[in-house]
Short mmCIF file of all heavy atoms in Angstrom, two decimals:
data_model
loop_
_atom_site.label_atom_id
_atom_site.label_comp_id
_atom_site.label_asym_id
_atom_site.label_seq_id
_atom_site.Cartn_x
_atom_site.Cartn_y
_atom_site.Cartn_z
N GLY U 11 -0.26 6.78 34.77
CA GLY U 11 -1.50 7.33 34.13
C GLY U 11 -1.23 8.43 33.21
O GLY U 11 -2.03 8.77 32.35
N SER U 12 -0.20 9.21 33.54
CA SER U 12 -0.05 10.47 32.79
C SER U 12 0.66 10.12 31.34
O SER U 12 0.82 10.99 30.55
CB SER U 12 0.80 11.40 33.54
OG SER U 12 2.12 10.90 33.64
N VAL U 13 1.19 8.85 31.21
CA VAL U 13 1.86 8.58 30.02
C VAL U 13 0.96 8.14 28.79
O VAL U 13 0.03 7.31 29.09
CB VAL U 13 2.95 7.44 30.27
CG1 VAL U 13 3.59 6.87 28.94
CG2 VAL U 13 3.88 7.82 31.29
N LYS U 14 1.11 8.78 27.64
CA LYS U 14 0.23 8.46 26.60
C LYS U 14 1.03 7.46 25.64
O LYS U 14 2.05 7.54 25.26
CB LYS U 14 -0.15 9.69 25.76
CG LYS U 14 -0.98 9.39 24.54
CD LYS U 14 -1.35 10.63 23.91
CE LYS U 14 -2.29 10.34 22.63
NZ LYS U 14 -2.58 11.57 21.82
N PHE U 15 0.35 6.36 25.26
CA PHE U 15 0.94 5.38 24.37
C PHE U 15 0.30 5.42 22.97
O PHE U 15 -1.07 5.62 23.01
CB PHE U 15 0.77 3.98 24.95
CG PHE U 15 1.62 3.73 26.15
CD1 PHE U 15 1.20 3.90 27.41
CD2 PHE U 15 2.83 3.11 25.91
CE1 PHE U 15 1.96 3.68 28.42
CE2 PHE U 15 3.69 2.94 27.03
CZ PHE U 15 3.22 3.15 28.22
N ILE U 16 1.01 5.46 21.91
CA ILE U 16 0.53 5.58 20.66
C ILE U 16 0.43 4.26 20.04
O ILE U 16 1.37 3.41 19.97
CB ILE U 16 1.48 6.55 19.78
CG1 ILE U 16 1.72 7.88 20.27
CG2 ILE U 16 1.15 6.56 18.32
CD1 ILE U 16 2.86 8.57 19.72
N SER U 17 -0.80 3.95 19.41
CA SER U 17 -0.94 2.73 18.79
C SER U 17 -1.23 2.79 17.25
O SER U 17 -1.00 1.83 16.52
CB SER U 17 -2.25 1.98 19.22
OG SER U 17 -3.35 2.82 19.15
N ASP U 18 -1.45 4.05 16.76
CA ASP U 18 -1.50 4.34 15.49
C ASP U 18 -0.17 4.77 14.94
O ASP U 18 0.12 6.01 14.65
CB ASP U 18 -2.58 5.47 15.13
CG ASP U 18 -2.95 5.48 13.69
OD1 ASP U 18 -2.64 4.64 12.96
OD2 ASP U 18 -3.46 6.55 13.25
N PHE U 19 0.74 3.85 14.81
CA PHE U 19 2.19 4.15 14.53
C PHE U 19 2.37 4.79 13.22
O PHE U 19 1.57 4.46 12.07
CB PHE U 19 2.96 2.77 14.57
CG PHE U 19 2.79 1.92 15.70
CD1 PHE U 19 2.29 0.67 15.64
CD2 PHE U 19 2.91 2.47 17.02
CE1 PHE U 19 2.10 -0.21 16.59
CE2 PHE U 19 2.73 1.62 18.05
CZ PHE U 19 2.28 0.23 17.91
N GLU U 20 3.39 5.66 13.06
CA GLU U 20 3.78 6.23 11.72
C GLU U 20 4.96 5.38 11.21
O GLU U 20 5.84 5.05 11.92
CB GLU U 20 4.16 7.66 11.97
CG GLU U 20 3.03 8.67 12.15
CD GLU U 20 3.30 10.03 12.02
OE1 GLU U 20 4.37 10.34 11.62
OE2 GLU U 20 2.54 10.85 12.52
N SER U 21 4.83 5.06 10.00
CA SER U 21 5.85 4.32 9.28
C SER U 21 5.68 4.35 7.83
O SER U 21 4.54 4.68 7.37
CB SER U 21 5.65 2.76 9.83
OG SER U 21 6.64 1.92 9.07
N ALA U 22 6.66 4.04 7.10
CA ALA U 22 6.44 3.55 5.56
C ALA U 22 6.02 2.07 5.64
O ALA U 22 6.27 1.39 6.60
CB ALA U 22 7.67 3.77 4.78
N TYR U 23 5.43 1.59 4.46
CA TYR U 23 5.09 0.22 4.44
C TYR U 23 5.38 -0.34 3.13
O TYR U 23 5.42 0.27 1.95
CB TYR U 23 3.46 0.23 4.58
CG TYR U 23 3.08 0.49 5.95
CD1 TYR U 23 2.80 1.74 6.45
CD2 TYR U 23 2.79 -0.62 6.87
CE1 TYR U 23 2.51 2.00 7.82
CE2 TYR U 23 2.39 -0.34 8.11
CZ TYR U 23 2.25 0.92 8.69
OH TYR U 23 1.91 1.21 9.88
N TYR U 24 5.55 -1.75 3.20
CA TYR U 24 5.72 -2.54 1.96
C TYR U 24 4.55 -3.51 1.86
O TYR U 24 4.06 -4.06 2.83
CB TYR U 24 7.02 -3.42 2.21
CG TYR U 24 7.11 -4.65 1.34
CD1 TYR U 24 7.90 -4.69 0.18
CD2 TYR U 24 6.44 -5.81 1.58
CE1 TYR U 24 7.92 -5.87 -0.63
CE2 TYR U 24 6.42 -7.05 0.93
CZ TYR U 24 7.36 -6.97 -0.26
OH TYR U 24 7.43 -8.16 -1.08
N LEU U 25 3.87 -3.43 0.75
CA LEU U 25 2.74 -4.22 0.43
C LEU U 25 2.97 -5.16 -0.88
O LEU U 25 3.50 -4.57 -1.89
CB LEU U 25 1.49 -3.41 0.19
CG LEU U 25 0.96 -2.49 1.32
CD1 LEU U 25 1.51 -1.09 1.30
CD2 LEU U 25 -0.63 -2.44 1.26
N ARG U 26 2.64 -6.43 -0.71
CA ARG U 26 2.69 -7.21 -1.84
C ARG U 26 1.37 -7.88 -2.18
O ARG U 26 0.67 -8.34 -1.31
CB ARG U 26 3.64 -8.43 -1.61
CG ARG U 26 3.75 -9.43 -2.85
CD ARG U 26 4.85 -10.49 -2.75
NE ARG U 26 4.66 -11.30 -1.48
CZ ARG U 26 3.85 -12.43 -1.47
NH1 ARG U 26 3.15 -12.80 -2.54
NH2 ARG U 26 3.84 -13.11 -0.31
N LEU U 27 0.88 -7.53 -3.44
CA LEU U 27 -0.39 -7.90 -3.83
C LEU U 27 -0.37 -8.92 -4.93
O LEU U 27 0.61 -8.95 -5.83
CB LEU U 27 -1.21 -6.63 -4.31
CG LEU U 27 -1.43 -5.58 -3.29
CD1 LEU U 27 -0.29 -4.54 -3.32
CD2 LEU U 27 -2.73 -4.79 -3.75
N LEU U 28 -1.40 -9.71 -5.14
CA LEU U 28 -1.57 -10.59 -6.34
C LEU U 28 -2.71 -9.96 -7.01
O LEU U 28 -3.85 -10.11 -6.41
CB LEU U 28 -1.67 -12.04 -6.05
CG LEU U 28 -0.54 -12.86 -5.48
CD1 LEU U 28 -0.91 -14.27 -5.23
CD2 LEU U 28 0.63 -12.73 -6.60
N VAL U 29 -2.53 -9.47 -8.09
CA VAL U 29 -3.67 -8.68 -8.77
C VAL U 29 -3.97 -9.29 -10.20
O VAL U 29 -3.09 -9.93 -10.76
CB VAL U 29 -3.44 -7.22 -8.83
CG1 VAL U 29 -3.40 -6.68 -7.45
CG2 VAL U 29 -2.21 -6.95 -9.60
N ASP U 30 -5.17 -9.06 -10.63
CA ASP U 30 -5.63 -9.40 -12.06
C ASP U 30 -4.81 -8.61 -12.96
O ASP U 30 -4.57 -7.43 -12.87
CB ASP U 30 -7.08 -9.08 -12.26
CG ASP U 30 -8.01 -9.84 -11.34
OD1 ASP U 30 -7.50 -10.90 -10.90
OD2 ASP U 30 -9.11 -9.53 -11.05
N ASP U 31 -4.26 -9.28 -14.06
CA ASP U 31 -3.36 -8.70 -14.98
C ASP U 31 -4.30 -8.10 -16.16
O ASP U 31 -4.47 -8.65 -17.10
CB ASP U 31 -2.42 -9.78 -15.64
CG ASP U 31 -1.37 -9.22 -16.55
OD1 ASP U 31 -1.21 -7.87 -16.54
OD2 ASP U 31 -0.77 -9.96 -17.23
N LYS U 32 -4.96 -6.97 -15.82
CA LYS U 32 -5.87 -6.30 -16.64
C LYS U 32 -5.74 -4.84 -16.59
O LYS U 32 -5.20 -4.36 -15.61
CB LYS U 32 -7.42 -6.60 -16.17
CG LYS U 32 -7.79 -8.05 -16.29
CD LYS U 32 -9.17 -8.22 -15.63
CE LYS U 32 -9.71 -9.69 -15.59
NZ LYS U 32 -11.04 -9.86 -15.14
N PRO U 33 -6.10 -4.18 -17.63
CA PRO U 33 -5.86 -2.67 -17.64
C PRO U 33 -6.89 -2.07 -16.66
O PRO U 33 -8.03 -2.55 -16.32
CB PRO U 33 -6.42 -2.28 -19.11
CG PRO U 33 -6.33 -3.50 -19.96
CD PRO U 33 -6.57 -4.68 -19.02
N GLY U 34 -6.32 -0.99 -16.05
CA GLY U 34 -7.14 -0.18 -15.00
C GLY U 34 -7.03 -0.65 -13.60
O GLY U 34 -7.31 0.09 -12.65
N VAL U 35 -6.35 -1.87 -13.38
CA VAL U 35 -6.17 -2.27 -12.04
C VAL U 35 -5.30 -1.39 -11.19
O VAL U 35 -5.62 -1.06 -10.03
CB VAL U 35 -5.55 -3.68 -12.09
CG1 VAL U 35 -5.10 -4.09 -10.66
CG2 VAL U 35 -6.64 -4.73 -12.50
N LEU U 36 -4.13 -1.06 -11.88
CA LEU U 36 -3.18 -0.11 -11.07
C LEU U 36 -3.84 1.23 -10.72
O LEU U 36 -3.69 1.78 -9.76
CB LEU U 36 -1.98 0.06 -11.93
CG LEU U 36 -0.74 0.78 -11.32
CD1 LEU U 36 -0.32 0.08 -10.06
CD2 LEU U 36 0.36 0.85 -12.15
N ALA U 37 -4.67 1.79 -11.69
CA ALA U 37 -5.27 3.07 -11.40
C ALA U 37 -6.31 2.92 -10.39
O ALA U 37 -6.40 3.87 -9.60
CB ALA U 37 -6.05 3.38 -12.79
N LYS U 38 -6.93 1.76 -10.19
CA LYS U 38 -7.91 1.55 -9.09
C LYS U 38 -7.18 1.54 -7.72
O LYS U 38 -7.65 2.15 -6.71
CB LYS U 38 -8.64 0.30 -9.19
CG LYS U 38 -9.76 0.33 -10.37
CD LYS U 38 -10.39 -1.06 -10.48
CE LYS U 38 -11.47 -0.94 -11.62
NZ LYS U 38 -12.27 -2.34 -11.77
N ILE U 39 -6.06 0.91 -7.69
CA ILE U 39 -5.25 0.91 -6.42
C ILE U 39 -4.73 2.17 -6.06
O ILE U 39 -4.84 2.61 -4.98
CB ILE U 39 -4.01 -0.12 -6.58
CG1 ILE U 39 -4.70 -1.66 -6.70
CG2 ILE U 39 -3.21 -0.10 -5.35
CD1 ILE U 39 -3.69 -2.67 -7.09
N SER U 40 -4.20 2.88 -7.08
CA SER U 40 -3.73 4.27 -6.76
C SER U 40 -4.77 5.14 -6.28
O SER U 40 -4.51 6.09 -5.55
CB SER U 40 -3.07 4.80 -8.18
OG SER U 40 -2.00 3.96 -8.61
N GLY U 41 -6.09 4.99 -6.94
CA GLY U 41 -7.12 5.75 -6.40
C GLY U 41 -7.44 5.70 -4.99
O GLY U 41 -7.74 6.48 -4.29
N VAL U 42 -7.37 4.34 -4.52
CA VAL U 42 -7.68 4.10 -3.18
C VAL U 42 -6.62 4.76 -2.19
O VAL U 42 -6.92 5.33 -1.26
CB VAL U 42 -7.57 2.56 -2.96
CG1 VAL U 42 -7.58 2.20 -1.46
CG2 VAL U 42 -8.80 1.80 -3.62
N PHE U 43 -5.38 4.59 -2.73
CA PHE U 43 -4.28 5.35 -2.02
C PHE U 43 -4.52 6.77 -1.92
O PHE U 43 -4.40 7.29 -0.73
CB PHE U 43 -2.98 5.02 -2.54
CG PHE U 43 -2.39 3.61 -2.06
CD1 PHE U 43 -3.20 2.53 -1.86
CD2 PHE U 43 -1.11 3.40 -2.02
CE1 PHE U 43 -2.70 1.46 -1.41
CE2 PHE U 43 -0.50 2.20 -1.69
CZ PHE U 43 -1.23 1.19 -1.34
N ALA U 44 -4.96 7.46 -2.99
CA ALA U 44 -5.12 8.77 -2.95
C ALA U 44 -6.22 9.20 -2.00
O ALA U 44 -6.08 10.15 -1.29
CB ALA U 44 -5.41 9.12 -4.44
N LYS U 45 -7.31 8.42 -2.04
CA LYS U 45 -8.48 8.77 -1.22
C LYS U 45 -8.18 8.63 0.26
O LYS U 45 -8.67 9.36 1.11
CB LYS U 45 -9.66 7.82 -1.54
CG LYS U 45 -10.31 8.22 -2.90
CD LYS U 45 -11.48 7.19 -3.14
CE LYS U 45 -12.10 7.58 -4.54
NZ LYS U 45 -13.19 6.61 -4.88
N CYS U 46 -7.18 7.63 0.64
CA CYS U 46 -6.83 7.54 2.00
C CYS U 46 -5.64 8.45 2.39
O CYS U 46 -5.16 8.35 3.56
CB CYS U 46 -6.31 6.13 2.22
SG CYS U 46 -7.61 4.93 2.02
N GLY U 47 -5.22 9.28 1.49
CA GLY U 47 -4.17 10.26 1.85
C GLY U 47 -2.70 9.73 1.82
O GLY U 47 -1.86 10.09 2.46
N MET U 48 -2.63 8.50 1.16
CA MET U 48 -1.33 7.84 1.03
C MET U 48 -0.58 8.07 -0.24
O MET U 48 -1.31 8.15 -1.28
CB MET U 48 -1.48 6.33 1.22
CG MET U 48 -2.06 5.94 2.61
SD MET U 48 -2.53 4.19 2.61
CE MET U 48 -0.97 3.35 2.21
N SER U 49 0.68 8.25 -0.24
CA SER U 49 1.41 8.44 -1.40
C SER U 49 2.42 7.33 -1.55
O SER U 49 2.80 6.62 -0.60
CB SER U 49 2.25 9.70 -1.45
OG SER U 49 3.17 9.84 -0.29
N ILE U 50 2.92 7.13 -2.79
CA ILE U 50 3.70 5.83 -3.18
C ILE U 50 5.14 6.36 -3.44
O ILE U 50 5.29 7.16 -4.30
CB ILE U 50 3.00 5.03 -4.34
CG1 ILE U 50 1.73 4.59 -3.92
CG2 ILE U 50 3.94 3.98 -4.79
CD1 ILE U 50 0.93 3.99 -5.16
N VAL U 51 6.06 5.66 -2.89
CA VAL U 51 7.41 5.78 -3.09
C VAL U 51 7.93 5.05 -4.38
O VAL U 51 8.57 5.53 -5.20
CB VAL U 51 8.27 5.47 -2.04
CG1 VAL U 51 9.82 5.62 -2.34
CG2 VAL U 51 8.08 6.43 -0.77
N GLU U 52 7.55 3.86 -4.42
CA GLU U 52 7.91 2.96 -5.50
C GLU U 52 6.81 1.92 -5.80
O GLU U 52 6.08 1.45 -4.78
CB GLU U 52 9.19 2.32 -5.15
CG GLU U 52 9.80 1.57 -6.33
CD GLU U 52 11.33 1.25 -6.17
OE1 GLU U 52 11.76 1.64 -5.01
OE2 GLU U 52 11.93 0.66 -6.95
N ILE U 53 6.58 1.54 -6.96
CA ILE U 53 5.67 0.49 -7.39
C ILE U 53 6.24 -0.29 -8.49
O ILE U 53 6.77 0.26 -9.39
CB ILE U 53 4.18 1.07 -7.71
CG1 ILE U 53 3.27 -0.09 -7.80
CG2 ILE U 53 4.30 1.97 -8.86
CD1 ILE U 53 1.70 0.50 -7.89
N ALA U 54 6.14 -1.67 -8.23
CA ALA U 54 6.73 -2.48 -9.32
C ALA U 54 5.89 -3.76 -9.60
O ALA U 54 5.51 -4.42 -8.60
CB ALA U 54 8.09 -2.86 -8.78
N GLN U 55 5.61 -4.05 -10.84
CA GLN U 55 5.01 -5.23 -11.18
C GLN U 55 6.15 -6.36 -11.45
O GLN U 55 7.03 -6.14 -12.21
CB GLN U 55 4.15 -5.16 -12.52
CG GLN U 55 3.39 -6.39 -12.88
CD GLN U 55 2.65 -6.13 -14.12
OE1 GLN U 55 1.68 -5.15 -14.15
NE2 GLN U 55 2.73 -7.10 -15.04
N LYS U 56 5.92 -7.41 -10.70
CA LYS U 56 6.97 -8.49 -10.79
C LYS U 56 6.59 -9.52 -11.81
O LYS U 56 5.52 -9.68 -12.17
CB LYS U 56 7.28 -9.09 -9.35
CG LYS U 56 7.39 -8.22 -8.20
CD LYS U 56 8.40 -7.09 -8.39
CE LYS U 56 9.85 -7.72 -8.49
NZ LYS U 56 10.83 -6.61 -8.52
N LYS U 57 7.59 -10.24 -12.20
CA LYS U 57 7.38 -11.41 -13.14
C LYS U 57 6.53 -12.37 -12.61
O LYS U 57 6.65 -12.74 -11.35
CB LYS U 57 8.74 -11.95 -13.43
CG LYS U 57 8.68 -13.11 -14.57
CD LYS U 57 10.11 -13.64 -14.95
CE LYS U 57 9.92 -14.68 -15.89
NZ LYS U 57 11.31 -15.28 -16.34
N ARG U 58 5.53 -12.91 -13.30
CA ARG U 58 4.63 -13.93 -12.85
C ARG U 58 5.28 -15.21 -12.45
O ARG U 58 5.94 -15.77 -13.38
CB ARG U 58 3.49 -13.99 -13.79
CG ARG U 58 2.26 -14.96 -13.32
CD ARG U 58 1.07 -15.01 -14.23
NE ARG U 58 1.58 -16.00 -15.34
CZ ARG U 58 1.47 -17.34 -15.23
NH1 ARG U 58 1.01 -17.91 -14.19
NH2 ARG U 58 1.85 -18.10 -16.27
#
C-alpha cells in the first residue's frame, strides 16, 4: 500500500497525422501544442 504507481508517464512522442493541405494548418497544430505546454523537436511534412 505504500508504493505509488505512476500512470501519467513522461516520454517523448511520435505523432503521425493526415491533415488538410491548406495554409494555416500547421500554425493551428503548433498553437494547440503551445497551449498544452508541449514543445516540438522535429516536424516534417511527408510526400503525399
Side-chain angles (χ1 to χ4, degrees):
S12 65
V13 177
K14 182 180 179 183
F15 288 89
I16 300 170
S17 58
D18 192 15
F19 313 123
E20 287 190 14
S21 172
Y23 288 83
Y24 161 101
L25 296 92
R26 177 170 62 85
L27 303 84
L28 288 180
V29 298
D30 297 336
D31 191 10
K32 296 177 181 178
V35 167
L36 189 56
K38 289 179 180 179
I39 293 171
S40 298
V42 168
F43 277 30
K45 287 179 182 177
C46 292
M48 294 170 59
S49 58
I50 297 172
V51 173
E52 191 163 0
I53 186 166
Q55 180 176 311
K56 312 306 292 186
K57 184 178 178 181
R58 189 179 73 84

